[in-house]
Amino acid sequence: MSDGNKDGPANINRSSAKDSGTVLHDIAASSQSGTPPAPVQTTSGRPASYALPDANLSLALLENSDVGIIAIRRDGTICFWNSWMEQTAGFKAADVFGKTLNDVFGTALPNRLHTAIDDCLSLGMPAMISPSLNKSVLPLRPQSQFAQKFPQMQQSIRIQPVSLSDEDVICAITVRDVTLAVQRDQLLRRQAAELAELVTKTRRSEDRTRAILQNTIDAILVASEDGNLEPLNARAQELCGPQGDPEIKNIIQFLLPDCGNNPPPKPPSDRLLTDLGTGVIEILACPANGHNIPLEVAISHFTAYGRYHYIITLRDISQRKRHELEIQNTMQELENSNAELEQFAYAASHDLQEPLRMVSSYTQLLARRYRGQLDDTADEFIHYAVDGTQRMQRMIDDLLTLSRVGRHGKPFQPVPLTGLFDAIEANLKRAEAAPAGNVIRQPGLPVVTGDPSQLLQLFQNLVSNGLKYSDPTHAEVHISAREFDSFWRISVSDNGIGIDPQYHASIFEIFKRLHGYGDYAGTGIGLALCKKIVERHGGNIHVESALGEGSTFHVDLPKEHNVL
Amino acid sequence: MSHPRSVLLVDDSKFARLLIKAFIESGFPGWSVDEAAEANSAQQKADSSRYDYFVIDFNMPGKNGLELGADIRRQHPDATVALLTANIQQDIQNQAEALGMDFIAKPPTQEKITAYFSAKEAAHD
Amino acid sequence: MIDLSDLERDTITELINIGVGRAAASLSEMVDQSVELTVPSISFVQRFSDANLIAAPGEVVSAVTQSFNGPFNGDALLVFPEKRSLELVRRLLQVDVPLDSLGDLEQEALMEVGNIILNACLGSISNILGHPINCSMPIFRKCETRNLMPDACPPGTSETETTAPFLLILHVQFMLRENDIDGYVLFVMDLDSIQTLKRMVNRYLENALG
């Protein structure tokens, strides 16, 4: 379309028209009547072999041309109208000859067309009328496939003067259908717009991602396959920069799962805060410009463009470390004070035994020697003194046992509960505390893990408690076990007097008794001891009971003992 | 036709001024025609002499024809002001009309000039 | 060197201004927005290399050319730096999606703009002088400024005045919405032609002024 006709067809046409001595209108008329027009002679400047084709052929070519051709005379009337025009405009040539374009199409034709035709006829100016600057100059029908989107054909129009003689000029109008090109242009533009929008969106999203990355508190770095480290955000740049830690890159490279052929040397041990292989990596960064910072290192990976990359995230855990230290200190203090307490309990109970034994021995001696020699009241007093010293003796024994749970624990080992309860029953029988057959065991009790002698003490306490607080003639204690995901629950139930729910928590406290000394024997230390043993095993003990309904003590013992 | 009129032509093109002056003098003998090449000198002339007609070009260095025309219309409400321009856009024509100015499209021809002034004179009489 | 009197120069300038005014009106109507066109300067030079617009010889320009032959012969060119031409077409067509270069339809639109302006300038001269000017269809070219109008003779060789092209250079300014877009119109004529033009202008002035 950029090819103008620089020669200008005017010259050729001028000579041919002059030679033929006729106007196109007449040619058209004569062709319609079947009379051939006068033969056209060769232009003077051309070799004979380029003789112009005869007028019939020219006319046929123009008629059947794939462009619209209109010729307009000086007076504005149409004198040529090819078949392309007939089809697209819907007017037969015979019907438009002698009429003006306005007559044919109505007066809606744009000024641009009229001005161009006027300038062509009066001044010899050619013109081109483009489809973009002018919307559908002539009301022509589009091809059917465009009809839906384009009510009118999109046209590219050329207007050229054709001189018939020195005085006479006609205006030749060529119309090309460019609807397809316009459609393509619109499509291209729409796609370009979509693309531009996509680019904008992507850019916006990228900016956002970058801002998020930049403003993340953690330092983030990426390492390519060759171990080359690139800080991705401000914090990472800070740590790796001139004010940062000169060693940090080496440490990170050392931590990467595969860091090329020459692995970096192991960093100094004070820079690695955790043992390798424990799953948590903590390192110590020593920036040039400030305090050391403990960092937690997380390494993940991704594959991009066929290459493997690691993302290294460094999180400042100073705060967490401080908290951990505080907790550790508190724990230590707690442990110390517990130990002191146990030590005190042991020392107290142990040292109390000596004078107590003396009081006990002498009161018993008094009782033996002087029973019946003094008056009745004296006998009664001596009885109370003996009873008191005996109870005190038991309490001190129990206190000693309790204090030993923490201090004299044995290593844990598998303990088959069947054997354990065999031993308990045997003990009770020896003490004549349990008639045969009143301890009923669920078959197939499991093997648990723990300190065998403490576990024996625990369950023996529970069983004898159960028997103690029951009607001796009907007393029954049931032992059962139930498996949970992480622990075994061993349950000891009795059909005894039961415990009011308001006391369910306090019964495990030391020296807590719910009954007078006269009703049930005991020091009030038994359940406290049970609780202490269970806790040493990392487990739990609780009771389910109601008054008169019997009681069930549940002991949960963990299957695994990780942290002991 | 009534008594001779006075006209001030304002146009930066000497050619245009010569042409219009020649057309007026041949169509209306006895009329006086003064010239100015831009708005400032036109304003001075208008202040010192009385003109019946102002014919002002649109595109000029300095104030354009519409601006000068508006001033003249305000200062000399009795005078007739015409905007003469090749800029024949509707927008400019509308602005000229709103300011009470006539509109003459360039290029000026004898017929156009004679017709314009004849019609104006006929309306006055 | 050709001598033009002030009046001759003024006359040609005025004729071209009239033409450009018509072209602007025509464009405004077509694109349904105000298009103002002014000619801030007109210069006559003997050699292309003397022209201001050769200041950036490597700049890529879009040019629409029409040849004319009538009483006087030559080429008329409308020249824009390529970016300006893109901007011009897009403002005229009021499209917002920029493509990197002129599309086919945009190129055709630019050719039509050139056609309207060049026709208006030539037509204005032709109309006043009462002589039709035969003109070719516009052609479009994209090239560096230095290749736009190679000087007829290589530097150093003496050229006779008759063969040296004579250039009439108009700086044209489009005012579209808020932006100005600057371009040039060049008329390239030989000495014979400019003298013919001069003669015709004088004859016209004599007739018109009595």
Side-chain angles (χ1 to χ4, degrees), chain A residues 224-239:
Chain A
S224 46
E225 260 167 350
D226 54 13
N228 196 26
L229 277 172
E230 183 197 342
L232 286 189
N233 65 355
R235 184 71 183 120
Q237 251 138 14
E238 234 172 83
L239 278 172

Side-chain angles (χ1 to χ4, degrees), chain B residues 25-116:
Chain B
E25 281 169 350
S26 78
F28 305 90
W31 285 26
S32 70
V33 180
D34 277 359
E35 300 171 38
E38 40 73 46
N40 273 345
S41 56
Q43 192 69 64
Q44 281 169 16
K45 284 200 160 68
D47 290 344
S48 55
S49 314
R50 201 197 138 271
Y51 295 100
D52 299 304
Y53 290 101
F54 291 85
V55 177
I56 305 172
D57 181 29
F58 175 67
N59 275 322
M60 289 188 296
K63 255 185 203 167
N64 73 29
L66 278 174
E67 292 163 336
L68 175 63
D71 292 347
I72 299 282
R73 286 287 299 156
R74 212 169 35 250
Q75 295 154 4
H76 309 280
D78 293 338
T80 303
V81 182
L83 189 72
L84 178 76
T85 179
N87 195 329
I88 51 175
Q89 293 188 39
Q90 197 60 46
D91 184 40
I92 307 277
Q93 294 196 31
N94 293 343
Q95 288 185 51
E97 201 173 311
L99 292 167
M101 296 164 73
D102 297 326
F103 188 89
I104 307 171
K106 277 189 177 182
T109 59
Q110 180 71 64
E111 297 78 51
K112 229 187 265 183
I113 296 297
T114 308
Y116 172 73

Side-chain angles (χ1 to χ4, degrees), chain A residues 1-8 10-11 14 110-112 115 119 122-135 155-161 163 176 178 181-182 185 188-189 192-193 196, chain C residues 22 26-27 29-31 65-67 69 75 90 92-93 95 97-99 103-113 115-116 118-119 122-124 126-127 131-140:
Chain A
M1 91 165 58
S2 62
D3 265 1
N5 187 345
K6 214 181 169 193
D7 295 335
N11 296 336
R14 182 192 296 157
N111 278 339
R112 166 74 179 138
T115 314
D119 284 357
S122 62
L123 303 172
M125 296 289 177
M128 51 176 299
I129 300 182
S130 67
S132 325
L133 289 172
N134 309 273
K135 301 294 171 216
Q155 307 143 33
S156 175
I157 296 177
R158 300 286 185 276
I159 293 173
Q160 280 169 289
S163 298
R176 277 190 304 123
V178 292
V182 170
D185 188 71
L188 185 67
R189 242 165 245 295
Chain C
R22 275 190 54 189
S26 185
L27 282 171
E29 193 183 342
M30 283 162 60
V31 299
T65 308
Q66 281 183 265
S67 304
N69 61 73
D75 292 315
R90 264 141 214 175
L92 286 176
L93 300 183
V95 294
V97 182
L99 302 176
D104 285 354
L105 293 176
E106 289 174 327
Q107 186 175 309
E108 186 160 335
L110 186 66
M111 281 168 74
E112 185 177 1
V113 171
N115 178 233
I116 287 169
L118 299 177
N119 273 7
L122 289 166
S124 176
S126 157
N127 191 30
H131 250 280
I133 299 172
N134 290 317
C135 217
S136 74
M137 271 290 169
I139 60 167
F140 177 83

Side-chain angles (χ1 to χ4, degrees), chain A residues 192-317:
Chain A
E194 284 167 9
L195 198 64
E197 196 186 342
L198 193 67
V199 167
T200 312
K201 266 190 197 158
T202 311
R203 199 165 292 152
R204 220 172 271 155
S205 142
E206 253 175 28
D207 288 350
R208 189 164 157 271
T209 311
R210 194 170 302 126
I212 291 170
L213 190 63
Q214 272 305 322
N215 293 297
T216 300
I217 296 166
D218 294 350
I220 300 172
L221 299 95
V222 67
S224 46
E225 260 167 350
D226 54 13
N228 196 26
L229 277 172
E230 183 197 342
L232 286 189
N233 65 355
R235 184 71 183 120
Q237 251 138 14
E238 234 172 83
L239 278 172
C240 299
Q243 299 298 303
D245 181 349
E247 273 301 302
I248 192 120
K249 280 193 172 184
N250 293 338
I251 300 173
I252 292 170
Q253 270 162 354
F254 172 77
L255 293 171
L256 291 180
D258 41 42
C259 35
N261 291 329
N262 18 318
K266 187 173 173 164
S269 58
D270 59 340
R271 305 298 293 275
L272 293 177
L273 300 181
T274 47
D275 291 334
L276 295 176
T278 53
V280 183
I281 310 172
E282 291 174 6
I283 61 173
L284 191 67
C286 307
N289 66 340
H291 300 292
N292 294 351
I293 307 165
L295 297 170
E296 185 183 281
V297 184
I299 299 175
S300 54
H301 62 79
F302 67 99
T303 308
Y305 306 109
R307 301 196 60 185
Y308 210 67
H309 296 265
Y310 290 107
I311 308 166
I312 297 104
T313 311
L314 305 175
R315 170 165 298 178
D316 185 336
I317 51 169

Side-chain angles (χ1 to χ4, degrees), chain C residues 1 5 13 24 38 40-41 57-58 80-81 84-85 93 107 128 131 133 138 151 156 168 170 176 189 192:
Chain C
M1 186 64 198
S5 71
T13 306
T38 58
S41 71
F80 289 100
R84 295 282 90 77
S85 69
L93 300 183
Q107 186 175 309
I128 292 273
H131 250 280
I133 299 172
D151 281 336
L168 173 55
L170 322 172
L176 292 161
M189 290 177 275
D192 284 346

Side-chain angles (χ1 to χ4, degrees), chain A residues 396-408:
Chain A
I396 287 173
D397 286 347
D398 284 353
L399 264 179
L400 268 171
T401 314
L402 189 68
S403 73
R404 282 196 185 105
V405 171
R407 298 181 319 121
H408 295 290

